[in-house]
Amino acid sequence: IPARQNELLDLIKAVKRGDTGEAVRRNFSAIAKATLERGADKLVIACTELSVIADAIIVDLPVIDSEDSFKDPEKLNYYQKE
């Protein structure tokens, strides 16, 4: 969500500082849910810093984490399989 880009950048900076606490996770989850409320049908976590707190997102839609593609290159083909 463009209006929340600064908040997302603040979360990335927090994780880089080592802050992965409840407040950071709660804010990340809120941004993810707001994105879905605007009509997204999946979430893509394209920043490895955010991968560290990806477990904070609990939604009923696919969450694609870029870090997973490093572990399993087959996940890079996710969109082509749909």
Side-chain angles (χ1 to χ4, degrees):
I1 301 174
R4 298 190 79 170
Q5 283 182 333
N6 287 336
E7 288 178 76
L8 200 54
L9 183 57
D10 288 342
L11 291 176
I12 293 167
K13 289 176 182 177
V15 171
K16 284 185 175 193
R17 286 191 311 268
D19 182 359
T20 59
E22 186 60 34
V24 170
R25 292 170 178 276
R26 189 173 41 251
N27 290 341
F28 187 38
S29 181
I31 292 170
K33 287 179 182 177
T35 301
L36 295 174
E37 289 170 0
R38 291 183 55 120
D41 59 358
K42 63 183 67 77
L43 293 173
V44 178
I45 300 173
C47 174
T48 54
E49 283 81 12
L50 296 177
S51 295
V52 174
I53 56 172
D55 61 337
I57 300 175
I58 300 172
V59 294
D60 291 331
L61 294 171
V63 177
I64 299 113
D65 188 341
S66 64
E67 187 173 87
D68 290 340
S69 67
F70 296 124
K71 298 173 192 168
D72 182 2
E74 184 62 26
K75 293 197 178 197
L76 292 172
N77 296 322
Y78 177 83
Y79 292 109
Q80 296 166 352
K81 291 182 179 179
E82 290 185 354

